[in-house]
Every structure is written in C-alpha cells, then in structure tokens.
C-alpha cells in the first residue's frame, strides 16, 4: 500500500529488501516513473513497465539477494535528488534506531535518505526491536513508515514524537 502514496511522474530511489520488491510490483501500475535502484530484483520487476526510466547503481553485487552495495553504489546515489526514497531495514530498536547487518548497505541507505525529499520506510513486524549492530539512523529521518502490524509502544512513541506518518496494512 506504499505505492498508493506515490503519484505518477515522480523520481524515486528504491533500496534493496524483499518488501521493496513488493512495492516495485505495486508500482507497475504507475506511469512515467524515474527509478534509481541498487536492487537487481526491483530492476527486473520494473523493466516490465515500458514507461519506467530505470537507472541501476554500480557497485558490488551480493549474490544472495542481488543487492548492489559498497562505496560505488552510495556515491552513485548521491548524484541524484528525488521525490521519494523507499528504504527497508533489518531492525528497529525500542529507541527508534534503524539498524542493519551490513555497513556497506547502510551507506547506500544513508545516501538515499540524504537525497530524497520524502523518505518512506517499508518494513514488516519481524523488524520490531530486532538488534542488528550497524546503526543507520533513527525514525526521525523518516516521513512515513509502512508496516503490517502496529509497532510496540516504545517505537510508536518515537514515531509520534517525530511526526512520522504511520500506515499499518491490517488497519486499513
């Protein structure tokens, strides 16, 4: 349901994560998208829509998830300014910290956040209070958070404190 909040004709940065691949599938109904991604799966999905202008970052390909990570990917992302940055995450700590397992992936995420007018986090409930060790930032960096279940109260408090729009799939 994240795709419902994206109008036609925007520029987007879409990060790796399987949830973002579902967002890409939903975006197939949109027209005139300009998408930059470090996710070969997202690129493959969006190639089905001929009105999408698709740009893929350079960098090191991680075979397990076909993610492109590393300094080349983050440097490439930093060349753009887009309407929407769509990110995923491996964990959201009770204090609102956004966490991941791979520091190279975090650098790409930080570049997406810094170069997006609006930042959307898409993450399912399994990420709540999970504790990977690499800190990306915190929920204050987000404009909207899309998830499938209501977050724990500690995370909700952070979302409310920082005026992040929360969309819960089963609540709609």
């Amino acid at each position: 349901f994240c795709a419902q909040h994206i109008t036609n004709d925007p520029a987007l940065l879409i990060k790796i994560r399987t949830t973002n691949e579902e967002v890409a599938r939903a975006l197939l109904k949109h027209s005139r998208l300009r998408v930059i991604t470090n996710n070969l799966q997202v690129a493959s999905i969006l190639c089905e829509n001929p009105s999408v202008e698709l740009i893929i970052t350079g960098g090191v390909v991680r075979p397990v998830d076909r993610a492109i990570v590393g300094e080349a990917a983050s440097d490439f992302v930093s060349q753009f300014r887009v309407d929407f940055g769509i990110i995923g995450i491996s964990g959201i700590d009770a204090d609102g910290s956004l966490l991941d397992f791979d520091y190279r992936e975090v650098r790409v995420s930080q570049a997406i956040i810094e170069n997006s007018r609006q930042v959307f986090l898409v993450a399912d409930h399994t990420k709540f209070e999970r504790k990977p060790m690499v800190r990306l930032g915190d929920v204050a960096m987000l404009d909207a958070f899309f998830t499938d279940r209501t977050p724990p109260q500690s995370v909700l408090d952070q979302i409310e404190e920082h005026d992040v729009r929360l969309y819960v799939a089963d609540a709609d």
Side-chain angles (χ1 to χ4, degrees):
F1 62 112
C2 172
Q4 298 170 0
H5 297 270
I6 296 172
T7 58
N8 286 328
D9 204 28
L12 299 96
L13 283 159
I14 303 178
K15 184 186 169 262
I16 65 165
R17 290 274 166 235
T18 55
T19 311
N20 290 346
E21 293 166 22
E22 293 305 315
V23 172
R25 283 183 186 85
L27 287 172
L28 282 172
K29 300 173 186 170
H30 285 63
S31 62
R32 299 180 320 274
L33 298 175
R34 291 160 291 147
V35 177
I36 301 110
T37 187
N38 69 324
N39 183 331
L40 293 178
Q41 301 288 70
V42 163
S44 178
I45 292 164
L46 290 175
C47 278
E48 295 178 26
N49 182 336
S51 77
V52 172
E53 179 182 341
L54 186 60
I55 302 168
I56 301 171
T57 69
V60 176
V61 176
R62 223 173 28 198
V64 67
D65 58 1
R66 296 185 177 178
I68 303 171
V69 295
E71 190 174 339
S74 58
D75 287 349
F76 187 81
V77 165
S78 295
Q79 297 178 60
F80 297 90
R81 182 77 173 148
V82 299
D83 301 306
F84 300 98
I86 301 172
I87 65 169
I89 200 72
S90 293
I92 304 168
D93 206 354
D95 69 356
S97 293
L98 303 177
L99 305 168
D100 226 316
F101 291 104
D102 185 337
Y103 70 91
R104 299 170 305 171
E105 186 178 331
V106 164
R107 300 283 296 190
V108 176
S109 297
Q110 289 169 333
I112 290 172
I113 290 167
E114 290 169 11
N115 293 289
S116 300
R117 291 177 186 92
Q118 291 190 63
V119 178
F120 290 177
L121 173 64
V122 182
D124 67 51
H125 70 279
T126 64
K127 309 306 189 273
F128 300 143
E129 299 185 35
R130 197 169 167 207
K131 296 180 173 63
M133 67 178 216
V134 184
R135 187 173 188 279
L136 163 65
D138 59 49
V139 296
M141 305 168 97
L142 306 174
D143 294 289
F145 177 24
F146 298 85
T147 188
D148 62 337
R149 293 192 192 157
T150 302
Q153 190 60 51
S154 59
V155 176
L156 270 177
D157 292 344
Q158 294 298 314
I159 289 168
E160 291 171 10
E161 178 181 337
H162 298 291
D163 295 322
V164 176
R165 297 183 309 274
L166 176 64
Y167 300 95
V168 181
D170 62 5
D172 291 341

